[in-house]
Amino acid sequence: MMGIGHRLAVLLFFTLLVLVGYNVLDDYGISWDESIQRRHGRVSLDYAAEKLGIEHETLEPNYDLEDYQWANYGMIYQILASLIELNMGVEDDPFVYYRIRHLINFGLYLLALGCFYRMLRLRWPERPWYPLLGTVMLTLSPRIFAHAFFNPKDHLLLVFYVIASFTLLRFLKVRSWSALLTHAFATALALNTRLPALIILFATVAILVWEQFTGGRKGYRELLMAASYPVVSLLLMIPFFPYLWEDTLSRLIGAFSEMSDFDWGGYNLLFGDRIAAVDVPAYYIPAWIVITTPVAYVLLSLTGGLQTLRHSWVAIRRGRLWKDFATQCYFTQSGLSIGPIVVVILLGSTLYNGWRHMHFVYPGLVYLALVGFAYWRRLYPPVAAAILTITLAVTAFDMVRYHPHQNVYFNYLIHGEPLVSRFDMDYWGVGYREALTRLANSVPEGETRTVNCANWPCQDNLLSLPQPLRGRLRSEGDENRADFLATNFINSDIEAAFRHEGRYANPVIEIKPAGILTMGIYRLKSAE
């Protein structure tokens, strides 16, 4: 049972998180995909309104969802954001409508944290401080925290994957039809976000079927649950996925097929190597996780994974994979977090820009880290508590000194040569907001300066500056006529060429979170 002191601590933690999130909301810039995702949402919304016979002003140019390149993606979040934007009448103010999206992003992140806390309570009901500790660990994860504001795709899968993971464990504990229906609804939302959430669906069915052969829970009722759950999940997905309203089966099959055959001809940068996105090595995802996660979390996750293997081995010798609900939680979380990584490696899936495609497995790794902490705390209570306390304090300090660029956080295993030439850094381009805001504030009121943008995120951040600053800067496509060059060094080859050509001779603003160069604005010779 939770005491009053613990309830108060949980309330204070989430209240503090709400206040912090709201106050830093505007510090995060506009990411590369946000404008594209916004358009996706409007196209789906227009299609849904047409099918429902609702008159409203359509997007210009008017796209046909049935021929739209990204029709196979679920758009529940983007549709919701577009509806709020239209109802508030702010569709012509980029600063406001992107702010709305960042606010929704962070609100969903808070919901995911709440579900993660409840999921940990299912496993440690007798140790109420463990769930709070695990939730703090997930919160103090620099890259995940930053993506919770500006990532309109991968972040959403993480959110709904956590929610569905919680509803799965809750169902496994209570085994009621209402819990199964709740889990099916959560699964439908996750599937509507990204199709890799099929792992949740397969895992649920696999567990129910496995129990029929191991003597865990046999009977007509469990078989009926296993058969009805995937059907209900897919049926609940359709209302939130307008593209599937017609010719549902063939379009659903087409969506699964396209997701599995996705191709991208770009390159990733890891340890100084340019790696084709369609041919990433087996170590790619594990390496990114290890170098961008606090070191103690990584070690604790490994311990938790080994403990899961040990418990599973003991159970396997008795013809099972788990012996009780606690070890079933360990096994399930291991499968939902490590399983997708193994699948991606075996299938040779296309991956790009760090490990953002796999962020959804991270909460499961934190779950295993808490399992590892519980193990070490039983053996060395003061030492384990001290090490984790220091880790949390140092990580919190790092998040402050990186702010608002936690998305380029690296742990202390990485040092040495300039990271911008060895790793994908601010590939989202979110740092442009800080750089352009600082530049705009330096321009006298009533005057205008021109900026040559290296890529699209620069232009989008330029358009979405707060209204008082927006008129002070203007995008200029011709470098010979621009006052400044703005770049996020997304390509190390381009960066080297720029430096060789002397374009960085006159730095005006350079963004260096924790001393790492990620972005800069430079005065061009044409302005001298």
Side-chain angles (χ1 to χ4, degrees):
M1 296 292 292
M2 286 199 306
I4 295 178
H6 180 75
R7 293 175 186 270
L8 182 59
V10 173
L11 177 62
L12 288 176
F13 168 74
F14 280 99
T15 301
L16 177 63
L17 193 55
V18 169
L19 293 175
V20 169
Y22 185 78
N23 281 281
V24 303
L25 187 71
D26 294 335
D27 296 345
Y28 294 92
I30 313 305
S31 64
W32 195 297
D33 282 348
E34 286 193 81
S35 62
I36 301 172
Q37 291 295 311
R38 177 174 176 263
R39 187 183 70 198
H40 296 349
R42 284 300 305 272
V43 172
S44 293
L45 183 62
D46 291 347
Y47 179 84
E50 178 186 350
K51 295 301 178 183
L52 295 173
I54 301 174
E55 294 186 3
H56 80 296
E57 184 177 349
T58 59
L59 180 70
E60 295 295 338
N62 188 15
Y63 294 89
D64 183 357
L65 182 64
E66 296 184 359
D67 299 324
Y68 193 57
Q69 182 179 357
W70 293 276
N72 289 332
Y73 288 88
M75 287 293 160
I76 182 173
Y77 160 79
Q78 296 299 341
I79 291 174
L80 172 63
S82 294
L83 282 172
I84 295 175
E85 172 190 324
L86 292 172
N87 287 330
M88 292 182 64
V90 296
E91 61 269 27
D92 295 324
D93 191 334
F95 176 80
V96 177
Y97 63 63
Y98 281 132
R99 191 173 196 269
I100 290 172
R101 283 164 169 75
H102 287 194
L103 189 60
I104 296 173
N105 276 15
F106 188 70
L108 290 172
Y109 174 64
L110 291 174
L111 177 62
L113 288 176
C115 288
F116 187 71
Y117 171 80
R118 293 295 303 275
M119 181 166 61
L120 296 178
R121 284 286 312 278
L122 290 174
R123 166 57 190 91
W124 286 282
E126 76 290 351
R127 294 181 178 271
W129 289 103
Y130 274 29
L132 181 57
L133 178 61
T135 307
V136 171
M137 292 171 66
L138 180 55
T139 304
L140 294 181
S141 298
R143 292 208 171 209
I144 302 300
F145 184 83
H147 280 251
F149 292 92
F150 60 74
N151 188 330
K153 300 190 301 184
D154 317 290
H155 162 73
L156 300 178
L157 178 55
L158 179 150
V159 164
F160 290 108
Y161 199 79
V162 169
I163 295 173
S165 297
F166 162 61
T167 58
L168 170 57
L169 292 187
R170 180 175 175 271
F171 162 69
L172 293 177
K173 186 175 182 65
V174 303
R175 301 292 177 140
S176 68
W177 283 102
S178 60
L180 183 65
L181 181 60
T182 301
H183 179 48
F185 181 66
T187 303
L189 293 177
L191 287 171
N192 190 279
T193 305
R194 281 292 180 270
L195 292 182
L198 279 170
I199 296 168
I200 292 282
L201 190 148
F202 291 146
T204 303
V205 174
I207 289 172
L208 292 174
V209 172
W210 175 262
E211 290 178 336
Q212 295 297 307
F213 295 97
T214 60
R217 289 177 179 266
K218 292 184 177 181
Y220 172 78
R221 184 171 178 267
E222 274 65 31
L223 282 176
L224 185 58
M225 284 181 167
S228 60
Y229 158 73
V231 176
V232 174
S233 297
L234 293 175
L235 288 176
L236 290 175
M237 178 181 75
I238 294 173
F240 305 107
F241 206 143
Y243 179 67
L244 299 180
W245 289 0
E246 293 185 358
D247 198 13
T248 303
L249 183 59
S250 63
R251 289 185 178 184
L252 186 60
I253 294 173
F256 290 148
S257 176
E258 184 169 322
M259 292 301 100
S260 62
D261 292 334
F262 182 77
D263 194 9
W264 184 64
Y267 288 84
N268 305 309
L269 190 62
L270 178 62
F271 298 121
D273 298 325
R274 293 181 77 236
I275 301 171
V278 297
D279 189 26
V280 296
Y283 65 81
Y284 182 81
I285 291 297
W288 269 111
I289 293 175
V290 168
I291 64 179
T292 60
T293 302
V295 176
Y297 293 10
V298 175
L299 296 177
L300 290 175
S301 293
L302 290 173
T303 301
L306 290 174
Q307 286 302 299
T308 298
L309 288 176
R310 183 175 69 85
H311 287 299
S312 296
W313 174 247
V314 173
I316 288 173
R317 294 173 64 182
R318 301 174 181 174
R320 301 182 180 183
L321 289 177
W322 49 80
K323 63 179 181 179
D324 52 25
F325 179 69
T327 53
Q328 186 179 42
C329 287
Y330 298 163
F331 183 85
T332 302
Q333 284 300 307
S334 295
L336 293 178
S337 55
I338 300 173
I341 298 174
V342 174
V343 170
V344 163
I345 292 174
L346 293 178
L347 294 181
S349 302
T350 299
L351 298 168
Y352 50 92
N353 298 137
W355 61 288
R356 64 183 179 87
H357 281 169
M358 303 301 294
H359 277 186
F360 69 95
V361 307
Y362 183 75
L365 297 178
V366 175
Y367 191 107
L368 293 179
L370 193 60
V371 173
F373 172 73
Y375 170 77
W376 288 116
R377 190 173 182 274
R378 286 195 300 270
L379 297 179
Y380 310 103
V383 176
I387 291 176
L388 187 56
T389 300
I390 294 172
T391 296
L392 294 176
V394 170
T395 304
F397 173 76
D398 284 340
M399 290 176 68
V400 171
R401 72 190 184 108
Y402 270 90
H403 184 76
H405 310 285
Q406 295 94 346
N407 57 299
V408 296
Y409 166 84
F410 287 88
N411 62 32
Y412 294 96
L413 296 176
I414 298 299
H415 51 81
E417 299 177 15
L419 301 191
V420 74
S421 62
R422 298 161 57 199
F423 301 96
D424 284 330
M425 298 297 288
D426 189 7
Y427 50 82
W428 280 114
V430 293
Y432 278 120
R433 165 162 285 183
E434 179 183 345
L436 293 171
T437 298
R438 288 167 57 183
L439 179 63
N441 279 317
S442 71
V443 177
E445 188 173 354
E447 297 185 18
T448 301
R449 300 290 184 270
T450 55
V451 179
N452 179 251
C453 288
N455 44 46
W456 168 247
C458 171
Q459 299 182 44
D460 215 14
N461 278 275
L462 194 62
L463 292 171
S464 60
L465 286 173
Q467 191 63 45
L469 300 179
R470 207 171 298 167
R472 301 185 186 185
L473 299 177
R474 178 173 57 83
S475 177
E476 174 55 65
D478 186 351
E479 183 182 316
N480 295 320
R481 299 172 57 184
D483 297 314
F484 303 99
L485 166 71
T487 180
N488 60 335
F489 307 119
I490 194 170
N491 186 306
S492 61
D493 293 340
I494 294 177
E495 181 224 350
F498 281 172
R499 290 196 181 280
H500 179 71
E501 295 170 11
R503 299 186 189 184
Y504 294 138
N506 298 303
V508 177
I509 295 168
E510 288 188 325
I511 304 298
K512 297 181 178 181
I516 304 169
L517 176 64
T518 61
M519 181 163 298
I521 296 180
Y522 302 87
R523 187 179 301 278
L524 294 170
K525 292 182 178 180
S526 57
E528 295 178 356

